[in-house]
Amino acid sequence: MENIGNLIYAGKAKDVYSYKTDDNVIIKFRDDITAGDGERKDTFKGKGKCNSLISSKLFEILEENDINTQYIKLLESGSMLSKKLNMIPLEVILRNIATGSLTKRFPFKEKQDLKPPIIQMDFKNDEFHDPMLNDDIIITLKIATKDELSEIREITLKINEILSEFLKTKGIILVDFKLEFGKDLNGNIRLGDEISPDTCRFWDINTLDTLDKDLFRKGEGNVMDVYKKVCNLIVNEEDLNRWKIK
Ligand code: TMP
Ligand code: ASP
């Protein structure tokens, strides 16, 4: 690809490359999938393309609703041109319905509605296995300031409203999701990373069937069939044809 530079960072399912201009990067979505702190790994052909399209669409909707994100545009399916961010090592998780690690670790009922939603912050740190944090720990470790935490919480709640409403129109319940934020070169907080079935729980509004990475985590069902289904529900016909997803 034209103007692509050096590999800056290799994650579990994405790579970040430098770009011709210093303030931008290219995020490449790979076909890899992992679970359990990277213990289980697999590769599904077409997953990177699919997740990049879903992510782009959701970032575009957020930008239209005045959320500042890292996203600029898709260069080709699988490759996203993005603003360079200094990432804040937090996994900001918002939960609308209790499931997953929440019901394993705390006495919530499975599928219990959480109103108002719960925001949980985990430390993005493989060495310490992403432990859950509280405000004092975040502030004392200088991961973020008190004001930055309030800003992140406020943006996360707004993102939840925007995406829940949009996904509902596509027949999907936004059960929970994980966000990552960073600071741009002007020091402003922006949403970064991805929003995809790897980082969200999506349930079918009618059947409550799983439409996300939980299928892989639990070793059930055909992961790619479901990711393609989400892609087809969220991304419009023109873009699906343009990026040859069908
Ligand atoms: P959890 O219930 O396993 O804690 O997951 C909460 C949400 O965060 C769910 O939508 C999946 C997402 N998530 C990630 O994106 N990355 C991770 O490493 C983990 C553990 C969860
Ligand atoms: N992202 C984590 C891993 O790669 C696990 C998860 O998403 O559940 O191991």
Side-chain angles (χ1 to χ4, degrees):
M1 196 196 313
E2 225 186 308
N3 299 319
I4 190 160
N6 301 320
L7 181 68
I8 304 173
Y9 171 83
K12 294 196 184 91
K14 296 189 299 299
D15 293 323
V16 182
Y17 290 87
S18 59
Y19 187 63
K20 60 174 176 184
T21 57
D22 275 349
D23 45 357
N24 293 341
V25 292
I26 293 175
I27 299 181
K28 278 200 157 202
F29 289 70
R30 304 199 312 268
D31 286 341
D32 301 324
I33 191 164
T34 68
D37 247 356
E39 250 171 46
R40 279 186 49 229
K41 290 189 180 116
D42 211 333
T43 304
F44 295 116
K45 197 169 177 291
K47 173 180 170 275
K49 269 190 178 191
C50 220
N51 275 7
S52 73
L53 264 100
I54 295 167
S55 247
S56 297
K57 177 71 192 176
L58 297 177
F59 274 124
E60 280 164 15
I61 286 163
L62 291 177
E63 283 283 346
E64 282 163 20
N65 284 279
D66 301 324
I67 301 289
N68 293 327
T69 78
Q70 169 177 42
Y71 174 79
I72 300 175
K73 64 175 181 179
L74 262 192
L75 292 173
E76 55 183 46
S77 66
S79 293
M80 214 182 244
L81 182 64
S82 305
K83 291 191 169 74
K84 191 187 250 177
L85 297 185
N86 287 317
M87 296 305 291
I88 300 168
L90 286 177
E91 304 209 330
V92 181
I93 296 165
L94 184 143
R95 302 177 188 271
N96 290 307
I97 298 177
T99 189
S101 69
L102 193 73
T103 49
K104 284 205 186 79
R105 297 158 88 181
F106 301 99
F108 288 100
K109 286 200 193 76
E110 186 67 28
K111 295 195 171 71
Q112 176 183 335
D113 272 331
L114 302 169
K115 279 191 186 127
I118 289 177
I119 294 182
Q120 170 192 336
M121 308 251 181
D122 289 357
F123 189 21
K124 190 178 163 79
N125 186 306
D126 283 341
E127 190 190 339
F128 289 91
H129 306 289
D130 303 344
M132 192 189 290
L133 299 169
N134 71 15
D135 286 15
D136 282 354
I137 297 175
I138 295 174
I139 293 162
T140 311
L141 279 176
K142 296 194 163 39
I143 296 170
T145 65
K146 197 164 184 271
D147 287 349
E148 285 167 351
L149 275 181
S150 326
E151 190 180 343
I152 287 171
R153 280 211 180 83
E154 200 180 308
I155 306 171
T156 302
L157 287 170
K158 207 167 150 200
I159 290 172
N160 183 45
E161 278 174 23
I162 299 163
L163 293 185
S164 292
E165 195 179 315
F166 168 74
L167 289 166
K168 203 165 143 195
T169 67
K170 306 291 176 186
I172 295 172
I173 301 173
L174 182 57
V175 175
D176 57 28
F177 55 90
K178 183 266 299 178
L179 304 175
E180 293 183 28
F181 293 87
K183 286 189 202 161
D184 65 20
L185 301 181
N186 300 316
N188 297 317
I189 290 181
R190 284 180 181 273
L191 175 68
D193 197 49
E194 70 179 300
I195 317 170
S196 74
D198 275 11
T199 62
C200 302
R201 283 198 176 93
F202 296 142
W203 288 353
D204 183 299
I205 217 163
N206 297 312
T207 62
L208 303 187
D209 283 348
T210 295
L211 303 174
D212 59 66
K213 189 174 155 183
D214 264 355
L215 289 175
F216 180 72
R217 293 190 188 97
K218 295 175 182 169
E220 298 167 354
N222 188 319
V223 177
M224 260 333 283
D225 280 357
V226 161
Y227 276 47
K228 278 190 192 144
K229 181 175 174 180
V230 173
C231 199
N232 278 282
L233 285 171
I234 292 180
V235 180
N236 61 39
E237 196 74 23
E238 194 187 321
D239 284 339
L240 290 171
N241 289 328
R242 179 165 168 222
W243 302 112
K244 301 190 176 56
I245 273 290
K246 286 201 153 170

